[in-house]
Amino acid sequence: MKTRIRTLTPALLYLAVTACAGETADTSTEGAADAAPEMSADEQALNELAEYWATHYNMGHPDMVADVYTSDAWFLGSNGRLAEGREAIAEALGANADMSPQIEVTPGDIMVFGDQAAGWGTYTITMSAEGAPSMSYGGTYMTHSTKTEGEWKIAGHISNLTDDPPEGFEFTSPEGEPGPNEGTLGELETAWETNFNQGHPDMVADLYTADGMVSFSRGGPLHGRAAIAEALAAMMAENPSQIDINDLSTMELGEGWALDGGWYEATDADSGEPTQYGGYFQLMRQADDGSWKIHWAVSNSWPPAEM
């Protein structure tokens, strides 16, 4: 299985679109103070990039969408398909062109770190083959983008599914062998793995920032440790399993921030048989004591039958 997240050069599909304004505008001084801060030039450029991406995806122009990626970008879709480089990304984005896919995106948040940026949001895709019922599914995405010579490009993207896939959805898992474990946050990943395998959801949740966001495979965005712990407890009760995490790559962004990615294998707690594989991508924050916490995270999965 191949899930190489290289040296985490920019990644993540910046499908951020402007949210609608409220029904009644507040022009008072107090209302202005409560309003969202003005976007920076970089945030505006990333939003414009997102709008371009969504527009041309919906128009069926995968090559034009792929042109906004870096030459060595990676794309790990919700179906488990890993595409590396513009040509492969264009092929992946155009795989269902005959079903006229249309995407709607709801932005979550974006953070800019000099010439790099990270963000997350949710999406819904609707498509249908001629004469067949439409298929709809949605999930969460996370991205990391980079600015070169004044221009923002997407260097990667991971997305997952909020619910079980609809009928007709096809998984296409990564091919080949995964890269070596070269991430520098193995200690945190080991703590996550150990506490999950021992059935301690609260201890796993403590590895996230207080205002952290996570979207596990088959689940929408969760905010805060309490919600994360509750979801983990349900996960452990419904599908008792053991997790093996492989930390492939870490990229420090400066000022106590980093991106980290890798892959995992889940096995049945009783039989030891594989139940799923998946990839993950995370924005990390360093605490005052030097330890790292997960601030944003998105993971996806595909069944072992696809390996």
Side-chain angles (χ1 to χ4, degrees):
M1 179 182 66
K2 173 184 178 186
T3 313
R4 269 188 307 119
I5 300 190
R6 296 189 173 174
T7 31
L8 291 186
T9 45
L12 263 204
L13 170 56
Y14 248 90
L15 297 177
V17 292
T18 304
C20 296
E23 291 183 3
T24 303
D26 186 347
T27 57
S28 68
T29 303
E30 182 179 354
D34 293 337
E38 184 178 351
M39 284 194 302
S40 68
D42 286 321
E43 290 171 327
Q44 183 174 349
L46 286 163
N47 281 333
E48 290 172 355
L49 174 63
E51 184 177 357
Y52 178 95
W53 196 105
T55 296
H56 286 283
Y57 180 85
N58 289 340
M59 292 176 68
H61 301 156
D63 291 327
M64 296 180 70
V65 178
D67 282 343
V68 303
Y69 285 80
T70 62
S71 60
D72 60 350
W74 59 267
F75 181 110
L76 182 58
S78 57
N79 64 352
R81 179 174 181 173
L82 176 66
E84 297 181 280
R86 291 184 183 127
E87 184 177 348
I89 290 172
E91 181 181 349
L93 292 172
N96 296 313
D98 60 332
M99 300 180 72
S100 302
Q102 296 291 294
I103 192 167
E104 293 184 8
V105 176
T106 301
D109 204 354
I110 176 174
M111 294 183 68
V112 177
F113 306 90
D115 60 357
Q116 300 171 69
W120 69 272
T122 59
Y123 73 93
T124 302
I125 289 180
T126 301
M127 61 181 77
S128 63
E130 186 175 353
S134 63
M135 175 199 306
S136 294
Y137 61 89
T140 306
Y141 68 86
M142 184 176 156
T143 60
H144 170 206
S145 301
T146 187
K147 184 166 66 172
T148 303
E149 297 181 353
E151 184 177 12
W152 284 100
K153 294 281 187 180
I154 300 164
H157 151 223
I158 187 172
S159 61
N160 66 14
L161 296 173
T162 298
D163 302 303
D164 289 334
E167 184 177 354
F169 188 93
E170 296 183 1
F171 286 98
T172 308
S173 59
E175 300 176 351
E177 295 296 324
N181 287 352
E182 297 179 341
T184 60
L185 298 178
E187 183 176 346
L188 181 144
E189 303 303 349
T190 298
W192 202 108
E193 175 184 299
T194 299
N195 288 313
F196 181 90
N197 291 343
Q198 292 180 353
H200 302 314
D202 291 326
M203 296 179 72
V204 177
D206 283 343
L207 299 174
Y208 293 82
T209 60
D211 56 346
M213 181 287 299
V214 62
S215 175
F216 298 117
S217 176
R218 310 297 192 273
L222 302 168
H223 302 272
R225 292 176 180 144
I228 294 171
E230 183 179 354
L232 286 166
M235 193 185 307
M236 294 172 184
E238 293 170 10
N239 298 294
S241 60
Q242 298 288 288
I243 299 289
D244 178 27
I245 300 175
N246 294 270
D247 187 23
L248 296 185
S249 184
T250 306
M251 179 181 184
E252 294 201 19
L253 302 171
E255 299 185 1
W257 293 90
L259 286 166
D260 186 71
W263 69 280
Y264 69 92
E265 177 185 18
T267 57
D268 182 86
D270 295 324
S271 68
E273 292 296 317
T275 56
Q276 68 180 33
Y277 294 92
Y280 67 87
F281 193 53
Q282 305 175 145
L283 176 66
M284 315 296 294
R285 186 172 186 177
Q286 193 170 30
D288 292 339
D289 63 2
S291 64
W292 289 90
K293 299 285 188 181
I294 303 167
H295 188 58
W296 297 340
V298 173
S299 61
N300 61 13
S301 69
W302 50 89
E306 303 301 322
M307 300 306 300

